[in-house]
Structure formats: structure tokens, C-alpha cells
Amino acid sequence: DVSLHPGRLGHVHPQLRLVLRADGRSERSRPPHVPRHPDLQRARSRDERRQHLDRLQARAHHAVERSLRLAADALDGAPGVWSSSYGGEEGNHVRNNERLLGEMAGKADRSARFLCTMVLARAGLEVAHFTGAVEGRIIDAPRGGAGFGYDPLFIPEGHENTFAELGEDVKNSLSHRSVALMKVVKFL
């Protein structure tokens, strides 16, 4: 069994559940008495990651914590670990996108990537960590009504539509989450 811990917005991304089920693995929800750990996304070093893992409840099965971020080359990797609060307010996608567009204005280099790091833990100890990435570019204005976060601004390599315009099946097949989780599943 594998526990997928909810992200900052309080839910486990459905894509993660699909990958586990496709591999024949079961998912355990975090019991309600287990407190939510501090934001793993802000873990910028192995020591910080270790502190977050220390907060995981010791259990007999594996637990997966994840960190998601967008990194734009022209902004030296920003928004990076501050992706979810880049606009000044945690989880405010409109403000995050506005700030990103403002800082990207006039930049010739539009290359960026979505990154997902998953830490696999057992009994509160790190077993391994895996990173998935999807390369692409930032466009000048939002397009598409699906998805969330930076999806309306990001066109993955090899496509002409943003993540917010691509169907869920296409997005999920390309996603940084899928890439990282497939590495976890292969490791298990």
C-alpha cells in the first residue's frame, strides 16, 4: 500500500490515484488524526527535506510526499519553490499568473519546465526521491479553461496548446506528476 498525502490545497491529485491503480497498487488515505506536514515544496535542501520527513507518521507501508513547481529559465528558475504563492497569496492562481506574466514581459527566452519531486518514505525515513519534469514554454496570455495554476500559460514541448487546452488524458500522459510517480512505482 502507498499513502499519497494531500497537497497544500487539501486533496490528492486524481492523476496520482490513476497511476497507482493502473499498476495494481492500492492507495491509503492519510488518517484524519495525522497532522498535515509543513510545506515540502519549500524544502530547498536535503536537510530541509529530512525535517519534513521526520514529521511523517511512522507506518508499516510507504508514504509519498510531493513537491510541485514551475521553473522559468529567463527568471533563473523562478517561481520555483514559491510557485504556489508567487503572487503573494498561497494558492491564488490568478495573482501567481499575473506576476509570472509581468516578470516574463519582454523576455526572449520563454523556456520553462514543470517539476515534481516525490519523496518515498517508510516508517518516517526517506527511502528514495524521484523527479519528473515536462519541458515547455510560457506564453504571453492565458489560454484554455481546464486545469489549474500555471496550466493556461504553459505549452509542453511538442504541442501547440497549453495544458489548460489539452484534454486530461493528454495532460496526464505528459505530466511531471506522472513521470515522477511512474519512477516511484517502478522502484517499488
Side-chain angles (χ1 to χ4, degrees):
D1 286 350
V2 176
S3 278
L4 295 173
H5 292 261
R8 282 175 315 288
L9 299 178
H11 68 279
V12 173
H13 197 280
Q15 178 185 18
L16 302 178
R17 289 189 172 106
L18 290 174
V19 171
L20 283 177
R21 288 183 190 139
D23 192 58
R25 299 190 182 274
S26 62
E27 176 220 340
R28 286 190 184 179
S29 296
R30 182 183 63 177
H33 67 278
V34 177
R36 190 164 166 257
H37 68 87
D39 187 6
L40 179 65
Q41 183 171 354
R42 299 217 190 314
R44 289 168 281 200
S45 70
R46 183 174 292 275
D47 290 338
E48 287 178 348
R49 197 166 57 242
R50 168 89 262 129
Q51 291 170 9
H52 294 302
L53 288 169
D54 288 344
R55 292 179 178 91
L56 285 172
Q57 179 184 9
R59 290 186 232 157
H61 64 281
H62 288 97
V64 176
E65 295 289 341
R66 67 189 186 282
S67 161
L68 306 167
R69 60 199 175 279
L70 175 71
D73 291 344
L75 304 178
D76 295 323
V81 297
W82 296 278
S83 290
S84 65
S85 59
Y86 199 54
E89 182 181 331
E90 183 70 28
N92 187 324
H93 304 312
V94 172
R95 286 188 181 174
N96 292 340
N97 287 338
E98 287 171 351
R99 179 172 178 198
L100 178 64
L101 287 174
E103 293 192 7
M104 290 293 292
K107 304 278 188 197
D109 184 359
R110 309 298 288 187
S111 58
R113 70 211 40 79
F114 273 117
L115 298 162
C116 175
T117 299
M118 292 193 177
V119 177
L120 180 66
R122 186 177 179 100
L125 300 174
E126 181 177 330
V127 174
H129 65 277
F130 308 89
T131 299
V134 60
E135 298 289 331
R137 69 185 192 277
I138 304 296
I139 58 174
D140 292 326
R143 289 191 344 218
F148 61 95
Y150 298 102
D151 288 356
L153 300 177
F154 186 83
I155 296 179
E157 232 172 49
H159 294 268
E160 293 304 318
N161 293 321
T162 67
F163 265 160
E165 295 171 312
L166 294 172
E168 281 297 311
D169 290 341
V170 175
K171 179 183 169 185
N172 289 345
S173 71
L174 301 171
S175 167
H176 50 305
R177 286 180 199 86
S178 290
V179 172
L181 188 58
M182 290 306 296
K183 290 178 181 179
V184 171
V185 167
K186 185 176 179 181
F187 179 82
L188 291 173

